[in-house]
Amino acid sequence: MTTCQELKEILRDGLLSFPVTDFDAQGDFDPKGYQARLEWLMPFGARALFAAGGTGEYFSLTLEEFSRVVDTAVRTCQGHTPILAGAGGPTRTAIAFAREAQSKGAAGILLMPHYLTEAPEEGIARHVREVCDSVDIGVLLYNRGQCHLSAPLLEQLAEQCPNLIGFKDGVGNVEHMVRVRRRLGDRFAYLGGLPTAEVFAQAYRAMGVPVYSSAVFNFVPEMATRFYEAVKTGDDATVGHLLDTFFLPMLEIRNRKAGYAVSIVKAGTRIIGRPSGPVRAPLVDLDAQEEAALRKLIEAI
């Protein structure tokens, strides 16, 4: 079993990813398809994978489905790639999902937003603390949506919750990120978590956040790995070329509708011949014209 400290060290270096969740034509979980996807992705060398995360459509999964997704991921990647599982929503719901993930052998939890319209900072801190107290495995806080905590409160939580091991930023407030990084130092592993994190990778590395999770790893894993290595080694020419020819044009498609950050990844899996099924409501799939535009970008790599 991966300890909290071991998981924190794993999350400090290397490319991460969050696989899509495979659905069949009726929109039900497809465990065989999901297992095949993980078996295909593992050799490309992601340091850890997030099962049933945002791109895995956690928000649409029942607890029973979530349990099957995490169980499939852990059994498939056992001994090769650590699995972190998403958990979020109301506090008791997040606790139920976190405990289920631990029971299935997940190495850690990505604690996603509580989904409440608004809440005071001390209430959000209590939410985080209660989830951390409910499990023994490592917890990575996802700073996104309505989940915002100041550096002083994060420091308090770090003292109160030994298994709170990381901070993933999906907001992009540079000042806040710098304050957190300077105040917490090596207490946390730090991850970039903005949608299409590659666009922000160089800036985050300069702030002391060298690790990010890649969505496009789902359908162009070789290119995603090449981009990460270029950022890591300071190969600005390769970074610039891939930003200009793939990532920035892809953003023009992604930004057309809310939720396309997930939909465009599922479209990518269809294009490469490894379809993962449709997205679930309230998301919508790319239309034929948008998918054709994405196909051109992938074929040009």
Side-chain angles (χ1 to χ4, degrees):
M1 179 178 176
T2 305
T3 68
C4 291
Q5 185 61 37
E6 288 170 344
L7 182 60
K8 183 166 72 172
E9 292 305 314
I10 288 169
L11 296 174
R12 281 182 166 160
D13 180 59
L15 186 62
L16 311 173
S17 188
F18 32 96
V20 294
T21 299
D22 286 71
F23 299 136
D24 61 22
Q26 289 71 46
D28 297 320
F29 175 53
D30 175 12
K32 290 184 178 179
Y34 189 57
Q35 179 179 338
R37 184 169 313 285
L38 295 171
E39 289 173 343
W40 173 63
L41 287 174
M42 277 193 294
F44 292 104
R47 290 279 285 168
L49 295 173
F50 295 93
T55 301
E57 298 181 72
Y58 166 81
F59 47 82
S60 75
L61 299 175
T62 66
L63 181 58
E64 189 273 335
E65 290 173 323
F66 172 85
S67 180
R68 294 175 67 201
V69 170
V70 177
D71 182 60
T72 302
V74 170
R75 285 189 293 104
T76 303
C77 300
Q78 193 78 41
H80 187 282
T81 308
I83 298 296
L84 292 89
T91 304
R92 293 191 179 189
T93 298
I95 287 172
F97 278 72
R99 285 175 171 169
E100 185 64 20
Q102 177 171 295
S103 76
K104 295 302 179 182
I109 299 297
L110 176 63
L111 183 55
M112 297 189 290
H114 49 84
Y115 299 134
L116 202 61
T117 302
E118 56 186 15
E121 193 176 43
E122 61 269 24
I124 298 172
R126 177 184 170 188
H127 166 81
V128 175
R129 186 167 54 250
E130 289 186 9
V131 174
C132 287
D133 288 346
S134 74
V135 293
D136 300 317
I137 55 179
V139 177
L140 185 70
L141 178 63
Y142 200 173
N143 182 60
R144 187 170 179 179
Q146 298 300 323
C147 183
H148 299 280
L149 290 172
S150 67
L153 255 182
L154 284 169
E155 188 174 41
Q156 290 179 25
L157 283 170
E159 294 172 354
Q160 297 164 353
C161 306
N163 62 330
L164 182 61
I165 61 168
F167 182 82
K168 182 176 182 180
D169 182 55
V171 174
N173 183 325
V174 174
E175 179 182 339
H176 179 256
M177 188 67 246
V178 171
R179 288 184 183 278
V180 171
R181 185 68 182 84
R182 299 306 304 167
R183 185 153 188 153
L184 276 296
D186 291 336
R187 174 61 180 81
F188 285 161
Y190 300 93
L191 283 68
L194 287 161
T196 315
E198 283 85 354
V199 176
F200 309 92
Q202 287 179 308
Y204 269 65
R205 177 168 283 273
M207 290 190 292
V209 184
V211 176
Y212 62 87
S213 47
S214 172
V216 302
F217 188 84
N218 276 280
F219 59 94
V220 283
E222 300 100 328
M223 191 272 284
T225 302
R226 181 157 57 99
F227 185 90
Y228 172 80
E229 290 299 326
V231 172
K232 183 176 180 178
T233 60
D235 182 357
D236 293 341
T238 297
V239 170
H241 172 72
L242 292 174
L243 285 173
D244 291 341
T245 59
F246 180 78
F247 287 105
L248 293 176
M250 189 187 76
L251 291 190
E252 294 180 10
I253 303 170
R254 189 205 72 185
N255 291 341
R256 291 178 187 177
K257 286 185 182 177
Y260 264 15
V262 176
S263 305
I264 201 167
V265 178
K266 283 212 157 178
T269 67
R270 288 192 293 272
I271 289 167
I272 66 165
R274 296 182 178 273
S276 53
V279 294
R280 284 181 171 178
L283 301 183
V284 297
D285 286 302
L286 270 62
D287 64 30
Q289 184 177 6
E290 292 163 338
E291 195 157 320
L294 179 61
R295 181 183 298 275
K296 288 183 179 179
L297 292 177
I298 294 172
E299 291 175 346
I301 294 175

